[in-house]
Amino acid sequence: MLRFARVLRSSAGKNLNTSFPRFRTASEMYSHIRSITAEGGDYTVRNFVGVIEDISVKSSVVETELFPRGALEFYTKKNMGWPYTAEESNQWLLPERGGEQGDYRDGMQEKIANVIACLKAEPRSKRAIIPIPFPSEGSKTVDWTNQGQTKCCRELHLYIEDNHLKCTGILRMQNASIFPKNIHFFATLLDHVGQELKLPVGEYTHWITNLCHDRSAISC
């Protein structure tokens, strides 16, 4: 533990996300991305980057008509690889809430265990990543028509900075309407890892290549 503390104190660097738009909570970012994509349809905002300062689970519950709290909690359980009941699945599982593109559970427990082991062994590591697609096959098989391969979230990069666990999420595609499900899952995952590392969770940086209003966008 003393070695861990010494390593953190000796780490130095600079985080350029200070120049990105900052949002106190997930709800504030949600309102913003819904606003800037309000034209709808295939209107696309490219390379959106924003920082959520409080990514705690409590502050990352963004309830909407599509995603009431029960749906958020169900999809987070599913994507974390935690058990859920048939009743929960029957009640909450709907294609319009994400389908195969938003199903991140395959191998997730192993991926989470890997980042915990990584940051425990070397707190300064830049290798603590959670890759989302291709959990059981190589990317050589990539097929743009396969929704199971074209996951919306591609990677989560976890790192320790200022004695806090922080994260950058890289998304190929973000439908603003699906954001509440994504961010609740990310917040829960970070909370879990933070507890294992005995570290508070810091800010989260959300990087989106293609941002649209909802799933009516073409080939999203």
Side-chain angles (χ1 to χ4, degrees):
M1 187 65 184
L2 288 175
R3 174 184 173 275
F4 191 78
R6 283 198 300 272
V7 167
L8 291 183
R9 282 198 296 270
S10 67
S11 297
K14 184 175 183 180
N15 196 330
L16 297 179
N17 75 356
T18 54
S19 63
F20 300 149
R22 300 183 77 83
F23 303 89
R24 189 175 58 84
T25 65
S27 291
E28 289 185 4
M29 180 179 282
Y30 173 72
S31 296
H32 179 71
I33 63 177
R34 289 289 281 178
S35 173
I36 64 175
T37 60
E39 186 170 323
D42 199 46
Y43 182 82
T44 306
V45 174
R46 310 280 188 193
N47 295 309
F48 170 87
V49 188
V51 180
I52 299 175
E53 294 173 342
D54 179 2
I55 192 69
S56 65
V57 177
K58 180 180 178 181
S59 295
S60 300
V61 178
V62 183
E63 291 193 81
T64 65
E65 184 176 350
L66 182 60
F67 286 106
R69 181 182 288 266
L72 294 174
E73 292 175 347
F74 163 72
Y75 276 98
T76 289
K77 276 198 238 181
K78 184 170 180 280
N79 281 326
M80 286 291 291
W82 292 341
Y84 57 87
T85 66
E87 289 77 13
E88 287 176 304
S89 182
N90 291 336
Q91 183 176 6
W92 302 116
L93 189 64
L94 291 174
E96 52 266 40
R97 289 181 173 144
E100 280 190 279
Q101 288 180 319
D103 187 346
Y104 303 152
R105 63 187 152 163
D106 193 4
M108 185 54 65
Q109 283 297 301
E110 293 85 352
K111 296 171 188 179
I112 292 172
N114 179 64
V115 298
I116 292 170
C118 173
L119 292 173
K120 280 185 175 180
E122 177 46 83
R124 297 166 299 184
S125 181
K126 292 80 175 168
R127 300 177 183 176
I129 65 166
I130 294 182
I132 302 296
F134 306 107
S136 57
E137 58 187 353
S139 60
K140 184 178 179 179
T141 66
V142 64
D143 176 0
W144 73 274
T145 66
N146 184 335
Q147 290 201 17
Q149 290 185 358
T150 55
K151 304 292 188 188
C152 295
C153 180
R154 309 306 289 180
E155 287 191 338
L156 298 175
H157 301 168
L158 284 69
Y159 57 95
I160 296 171
E161 182 181 65
D162 302 325
N163 293 336
H164 285 70
L165 175 67
K166 299 185 180 182
C167 179
T168 297
I170 308 296
L171 283 79
R172 170 192 67 79
M173 175 72 209
Q174 175 74 83
N175 288 305
S177 61
I178 304 293
F179 172 84
K181 179 184 78 168
N182 296 147
I183 210 65
H184 188 268
F185 165 53
F186 299 161
T188 302
L189 187 154
L190 292 173
D191 179 72
H192 175 76
V193 174
Q195 288 186 47
E196 290 294 318
L197 296 175
K198 298 181 171 55
L199 282 174
V201 176
E203 66 197 14
Y204 165 77
T205 303
H206 200 53
W207 191 297
I208 309 167
T209 304
N210 304 285
L211 172 62
C212 297
H213 196 66
D214 54 35
R215 289 174 61 79
S216 64
I218 296 170
S219 193
C220 63

